Amino acid sequence: MQVTRFFVPFPLVALHRLSPLFPTIRITPLRDDSQVLLSESESTAPFYRRPEAGLVLFFLLTVPYLLWRASLVESFWVDEIYTVTLINHSFAKALELTTFDAHPPGYYYFLKVWLKPFRLIGIEPGLVLTRMPGIIAWVLMGTGAFVGARRLIGPGAGLVATIALCFSANAVQMGTEARQYSIVIPTMFACWLLLMLLQFDEDSARPGGSLRTRRLWFAYAFFGGISLWFQLLTGPMMTVLGTTWLLLAARRRNWRSSFARQGFWAHLAIALLISPWLGSLQHNIAHLHFIPRPWQTPATGLNFLTTFAYWIPLGNIDFGLPWGPPGVRIWYPWNLLLGASLLTLLVPGRLLVQAWLRPRAAAENRLLSVGICGVGAMVAYTFLIWWFDRWGVARTFHGKRYPMVALGPWAFGMVALGAWAVERLAWRPRRLWAVMAPWLFCSLLGQIVFYTVMANGNITWARDMFPYWMPEKGATVYVMPTEFIPYVERAFTGEEHDYNLRPIEDLALLPEDAEEAHVFDVSPVLPAYRDRDIVLFSLFLSKKFSDDQGGFALPTDYPILYYFLLREPHRDLLERMRSQKIAMLARDEIPEYHVALAVPEHQSMLRGWSVLELGGDKSIMRWGGAPRISLRFDEAVDPGRYRLHFVGYESGNPVNPASIRLQFRGEPESRTIVQPKGGFHIVEEFTLSRRHDPPILLIDHPVWKPRDFIPGALDPRDLSVLLNYAWLEPAE
C-alpha cells in the first residue's frame, strides 16, 4: 500500500513560512469507499451488535429528550426573545436591524422561511417549531459525524465520537435554542470534518482530483458560506480552517494537487458568498465593541483556561464560580463540578503521556493527526476571539458560550486522541468508553445542573420571583408584542394564574366601565419593536397612558418582563389606538393640505438614522447618525414649487454653531442654515424640476460622538440632527 507524507497541522500558527518547522509523520490515506465498510466479522454480526445499532438507539433515546427540552417555556430566554421579535418583521426591516447588530441576517431569514409554511396552513409558530431547525441540524450533525468517523477513525471510535459530540452539554443546550449556535455548531463541524476527509483522500493528491473531492469541496464552501451569513464569530473559525488548509497544502509541496487548487477555489467561493455583507461588517464590529455587556466573561487568562476546564465539558453554567461573570448566584458545589470537569482533560492527558513514553504497540498515525487537528482548531479559535477581546478589537470572548462554535472539532479530536492512546497501549478498543467516561459524565451532569437553574433569568423566573406584583388569578392581560402569546402562553395560563391573554391591539377595545388594565411586555429588546409598540412601551414606561399607573420591571436591574397596571387609561389614547394613529402624537400642526410627509418611523438605519425614541411630549423622534442622512417622504410629488417644513432638534453639537445643508436628491438647488442649539422649525422653499417618487431630502450635518466628549458616556451612537417630522406643501 502506498504511503504518503503528511504533517500534523497546528492551526495556532498562521504564517505560511513557518510550516517547515512542523513535524512530519507517515500515515496511510484512505484509498476508496471499501475501507469504510465493516470488517468481515463485523459485517456478519447481527445488527444489534454493530456500531450502527448503537447510533440508532442513541437517536431513539435522545431525540424525544431534545423535543421535550425544546418545549420548556422555562428555557425561553432573552436572546431567543430577540430572535422571535426579529423574525416577525419584514425581510427589509430584519436586514436593517441586523446591519447594526452583532450578526448578519442569514439565520433570521432562514427561520422566517422555515416558519412561513406553518403560518400558511394556520399553525401559529411556538417554541417547538421555532427551535426545531436546531434539533434537525443536531440529528444531521450526528449522522454526518458517524459517517465521517468511519473513514477517519473507524466505526467503533466513530460511535464514541458521535455520542461524545451530540450528547455534550453544550450541543444539547444550544441545539434546543432559537439562536445561531444551533446551526453554526453543526456547519462549522461539517467544514472541519470535510477538511479532514479531504486531507486523507488519495484523490486529493492528483492534479484533477475526482468527482468525489469536488463534491466535498463544494459542500465545504456551502457550509462555510452559511456559517458566515448566520453568525459573525464564525469568521475567526473559518480563518483557522483556512490557515490549516494553507499549511497542509504547503507541506505537500505540490500546488498542482486538487487539494491545493480546489481548496483555493472553495475558500475563494466562501469569500465571494459573504462579500455582499462586508460593507456592513464595520457596524457589526462596532456593536460588539461599544455595547456594554456586564454579563460577559472578561478576557482574562483564568477565564481562557476555564473555557477548556469547565465550560466546554459542563456547558452554559457559571452561577457558582467565584471568578465567573456577574449575575444571578445559585448555590451548588461548583468546586466538585470543577473537579469532575478537570478529569475530562487529566484522564486523556495522562493516557497520552503514557502512550507516548511507553508504547506497547503501533498505532495508526491518522488518529493522532485528526486528534491534534480537532483540539488545535478549538484552541486556536478560542485564542483568536480571546485575543480580539483582550486587545480591544471587539467584545468577542464569552468563555461559556462563544468558543462553542468549535465544539465539534474539540469533541471529535479528544476521542481521536483517546483512540490513538488505546491502540498504542494495546488495550481493547472498548476501553475507549472508559477514557471518555469523564466527558460523558460531565455532559450528563451539566445538563442536570442547567435544567435546575435554566429558569433563572427567564420569564417564568421573573413571574415566580415577584408573585405579589402579579395580577389576580383569571385577570385579562394584554400582551405585547402580540406574536409572543404562543411562546409564553404556558407560563401564564396554568392553574396558578389562569390569565386570559389578549393581543395588545385589543387594549383599544377596553370597555368604558373598565377601571384598570393589565399589560405584559415580554420582549425587552426595544430597538427591535414595531413602531406602534415602541410608542406604547414608552407611554407605559413614562406613566403617560393614565394618570394613576403602576409599572414594574422584573427584575429591576436587568428587566426580562415588564408589568404595567393602567388605572383609568386616557380615552383619547385608546381612540388613537383604534384609529391606528397612536404614532401621530404631537403632530397636530401638520396641515391637511400637505402633499408629502416624512416621519421617523418610516426612516431606515440603512439611510443613516438611529433607532426610534420617544420624546417628552409623547412624540416619536429619530436621531441622524451619519454626516449625510436621507429623509424619505411617503408620497410622490410632481414638478413645482414647494415649501419644506422640517421640525427637529439640534443636539448641542460640540462643533458650534452647527450648519444644516438641505438638498433634494437629483436637484441642483440647496440650502445651508446655521442652526442654534435646541428645537427648531425650518421653513424653506424648493423647486422640484421633475417628478419625485418619492422625494428624498439629503441632510448634511456634523456628527459628534457622546463618548468622545462626555466622560463615562456609554452611548455608542454617532449623533447629528434629530427629526420629529417634516412635510411638503405647495408654495402658492
Side-chain angles (χ1 to χ4, degrees), residues 360-555:
R360 297 180 181 178
E364 195 169 356
N365 289 330
R366 186 189 300 112
L367 296 172
L368 181 61
S369 181
V370 170
I372 293 178
C373 284
V375 173
M378 168 62 92
V379 174
Y381 168 72
T382 305
F383 176 79
L384 276 180
I385 60 176
W386 176 84
W387 183 84
F388 289 154
D389 197 322
R390 183 80 173 179
W391 294 101
V393 177
R395 298 291 303 277
T396 55
F397 179 76
H398 185 37
K400 66 175 187 174
R401 191 164 181 87
Y402 296 173
M404 304 313 154
V405 169
L407 175 65
W410 173 268
F412 208 94
M414 292 292 287
V415 174
L417 290 176
W420 177 83
V422 167
E423 281 195 9
R424 195 168 171 89
L425 293 173
W427 288 359
R428 297 181 63 182
R430 291 182 180 179
R431 287 200 178 184
L432 181 59
W433 289 100
V435 176
M436 296 305 299
W439 173 273
L440 298 175
F441 173 75
C442 285
S443 298
L444 178 62
L445 189 62
Q447 293 179 54
I448 293 174
V449 173
F450 180 77
Y451 174 73
T452 60
V453 301
M454 69 182 178
N456 297 281
N458 297 290
I459 289 176
T460 54
W461 173 73
R463 175 203 67 190
D464 296 336
M465 284 289 289
F466 308 95
Y468 43 86
W469 286 352
M470 290 289 103
E472 295 181 358
K473 181 179 179 180
T476 297
V477 178
Y478 300 94
V479 178
M480 59 181 290
T482 300
E483 294 81 9
F484 277 82
I485 292 180
Y487 292 87
V488 301
E489 188 173 10
R490 289 175 53 190
F492 298 108
T493 56
E495 294 183 0
E496 185 177 349
H497 301 90
D498 195 25
Y499 296 146
N500 177 26
L501 301 184
R502 306 293 301 169
I504 190 62
E505 293 87 350
D506 289 357
L507 180 62
L509 307 177
L510 191 70
E512 291 286 341
D513 58 347
E515 297 181 356
E516 63 182 23
H518 308 276
V519 176
F520 280 167
D521 179 4
V522 298
S523 176
V525 193
L526 186 62
Y529 279 16
R530 285 190 175 87
D531 307 331
R532 177 208 61 198
D533 291 345
I534 288 180
V535 177
L536 289 175
F537 175 80
S538 300
L539 290 174
F540 296 152
L541 196 64
S542 58
K543 300 184 178 182
K544 296 176 181 177
F545 205 88
S546 66
D547 292 329
D548 186 8
Q549 179 177 321
F552 308 99
L554 313 174

Side-chain angles (χ1 to χ4, degrees), residues 101-112:
D101 190 49
H103 304 295
Y107 175 72
Y108 306 109
Y109 281 6
F110 165 75
L111 210 54
K112 284 177 66 67

Side-chain angles (χ1 to χ4, degrees), residues 289-362:
H289 182 78
F290 293 113
I291 297 299
R293 291 178 171 83
W295 41 264
Q296 194 165 332
T297 56
T300 62
L302 181 58
N303 279 331
F304 178 81
L305 297 176
T306 306
T307 299
F308 301 95
Y310 193 82
W311 288 312
I312 291 178
L314 289 170
N316 190 0
I317 55 174
D318 60 5
F319 300 109
L321 288 179
W323 61 87
V328 182
R329 294 293 175 184
I330 304 297
W331 181 91
Y332 60 81
W334 65 268
N335 49 353
L336 297 181
L337 292 177
L338 179 60
S341 62
L342 283 173
L343 291 178
T344 64
L345 299 176
L346 297 177
V347 171
R350 169 68 175 81
L351 207 63
L352 285 172
V353 172
Q354 181 180 350
W356 185 269
L357 298 178
R358 299 177 181 178
R360 297 180 181 178

